[in-house]
Amino acid sequence: MTGMDEQARLNAIWQRIVSDMKQVVRDFSITQRELHTAGDYLNRLGQSSMCRSLIDVALAMTSVDATGGSSRGTRQNLEGPYHRAHPHRADGVLCEGGAPAGMPSLLMTGRVRDVETGEPLPGARLDFWQADSNGTYDRAGNHLRGIVTTDADGRYVVHTVLPNDYSEHDNDPIGELFRAMGKHNTRAAHIHLKASIDGRVLLTTQIFMPTSDFLKTDYVEGAVSDDLIVALEVDGDGYRGQFDIVLDRRGASA
Ligand SMILES: [Fe+2]
């Protein structure tokens, strides 16, 4: 896209946003005082560095669906704020320091295939990160984070724990907005996944747990879909899950 094209696109988007918001002001007869209350809220949102998160919560799933991504393969989903560079896990074990006590284990397996040919894809890089069974992310270390590579048959194995639902934004302006709207701020339990081949990211998604109580009401509207829910069965004190991944190698980087 050239500089002029970009400027024309930006102008068109800005004019449309202002035009649509003017209609909201008319429809609800919004007063100047209410506009200033909204401005004060946006100032608090910016001061807490939460603007990007609020845009994600409100609009990112719409963007994922509108821009398609690899619409022919496994459905794309939010990346969220917690991804970073992760270590490679040759043994597929995401837990650091042994299996955490009191948390149900999860053995997740599956096969990665090409959407075009159906052929298994060896050497695909699967980058996982997730909350633990208390709904907590390791934000400093690499516990429950790691990269596995598919074998010659396109298969992968991950040893981890069952993630739990988690609430976020309890003490920031996003939580303030949700409380004002009478909405909860809980995410359905999920494992994040970024899949790449030859250094190209082809899929960024979330794999949801059927054990969650929030599959129907995840506060990120549109995030959960049936095709992203892992098939799970009880296995001793833990669980065994099966989730196959389909990649579109012609797809744009997610
Ligand atoms: Fe998450």
Side-chain angles (χ1 to χ4, degrees), residues 82 129 131 137 166 187 190 192 206:
Y82 302 131
W129 68 106
Y137 282 89
Y166 60 87
R187 296 284 340 266
H190 56 269
H192 293 266
Q206 301 185 7

Side-chain angles (χ1 to χ4, degrees), residues 155-185:
R155 296 184 191 280
Y156 73 91
V157 177
V158 167
H159 301 269
T160 183
V161 297
L162 187 73
N164 206 346
D165 307 320
Y166 60 87
S167 64
E168 51 190 359
H169 305 300
D170 286 334
N171 299 304
D172 66 32
I174 295 178
E176 178 191 335
L177 179 66
F178 273 70
R179 280 191 296 280
M181 294 168 70
K183 287 170 72 91
H184 71 72
N185 56 339

